Amino acid sequence: MQIPKKTKIPKIISGIAVTISIIALGWFSLSRFWFWVSLEIIAALLVAVGCSGEWWLHHHPAGRKKKEKDEHHKLESRFVAMVAFGVIMELFALGHSIREGRKLEQAVALSQERVSTNELEVASLRKATIELAHQYDLSTNALAEANARLATIKPIKERLIDFLNGIGARIIPAFRQGQTNFKYAIPLHQYSKLRELSDEPGASVYLDVKSNQNGNTVFNDGEPTMYGTLELKPPLLQ
């Protein structure tokens, strides 16, 4: 009676089922990063052990007996299977690494684009800030100049008194004593200033300027001189 040979199919199926179970367990229990790291480490170990085993078998050939040859061949098949399975696992890990590398490249490109956009916005904002600061400085300077000018501008009455004191120190004291009409003989540049003051709004309340030359200029010692009469009015002293 012939004894049927034992088949290896159940063992192969069991090995495949165990492998798939281990991979599924790692997929659900580990994070994506550590799952692929563990897969690459296991694949590298399988390849390293398989290659080392083949190297060892190469230096330790099988004996002459059939049983020894069968054992040697069986062990060699196992090491070859380890190498093949490890290489297949590394191919899966390589595909994942390529995909993740592509995602990382896209993320880096997007980050660089955002950085460039932010740099442009910062440059534009810096330019706008500088322009705003410049406009603020101009406004501040203009305001300061305007305040300075306002501080130096006196009312028309005060400027008239200062001018009259400049052309004749006795005019205002005599006016205080009751004299209202004064004859003048002043250089042309002072007469121009007098006419300018008398033409300002509100100046007619304080004085009236009359010229005696009917527009003709008289030269006194080589200098053009204007002659006329000033009529001062009481509001000038109020």
Side-chain angles (χ1 to χ4, degrees), residues 44-201:
L45 288 175
L46 289 174
V47 173
V49 173
C51 291
S52 299
E54 290 182 1
W55 178 82
W56 186 85
L57 291 176
H58 177 74
H59 290 282
H60 295 81
R64 296 182 177 181
K65 295 182 180 180
K66 184 177 182 304
K67 184 176 181 181
E68 293 176 351
K69 292 181 179 181
D70 291 340
E71 291 294 333
H72 188 277
H73 179 70
K74 184 185 298 184
L75 190 58
E76 185 178 9
S77 298
R78 291 176 180 173
F79 286 135
V80 171
M82 292 175 67
V83 173
F85 192 69
V87 171
I88 292 173
M89 292 174 64
E90 287 183 348
L91 287 176
F92 280 106
L94 178 62
H96 175 265
S97 298
I98 293 174
R99 184 172 65 254
E100 293 299 321
R102 178 59 179 169
K103 291 181 180 179
L104 181 60
E105 183 181 8
Q106 293 176 350
V108 170
L110 182 60
S111 299
Q112 291 177 348
E113 183 179 355
R114 290 179 178 175
V115 169
S116 300
T117 303
N118 291 336
E119 289 178 351
L120 292 176
E121 292 178 352
V122 169
S124 178
L125 182 60
R126 184 182 294 113
K127 182 179 179 180
T129 302
I130 293 174
E131 292 179 354
L132 183 60
H134 180 64
Q135 293 296 329
Y136 177 77
D137 290 339
L138 292 178
S139 301
T140 303
N141 293 336
L143 181 61
E145 291 177 0
N147 290 332
R149 289 179 180 178
L150 288 175
T152 58
I153 295 176
K154 296 181 179 180
I156 181 64
K157 183 170 71 173
E158 295 182 13
R159 286 185 284 130
L160 283 172
I161 294 174
D162 291 340
F163 178 79
L164 294 175
N165 288 329
I167 63 174
R170 297 180 180 180
I171 295 177
I172 297 299
F175 180 52
R176 293 182 187 276
Q177 293 177 2
Q179 183 179 352
T180 58
N181 292 318
F182 300 87
K183 293 181 179 181
Y184 64 83
I186 58 178
L188 183 60
H189 69 277
Q190 289 184 334
Y191 177 77
S192 298
K193 179 65 176 178
L194 177 61
R195 297 302 307 184
E196 180 182 346
L197 290 172
S198 64
D199 290 338
E200 288 190 18

Side-chain angles (χ1 to χ4, degrees), residues 180-184 208-212 227-231:
T180 58
N181 292 318
F182 300 87
K183 293 181 179 181
Y184 64 83
D208 187 16
V209 181
K210 297 179 181 180
S211 175
N212 294 338
Y227 293 84
T229 303
L230 287 176
E231 181 183 356

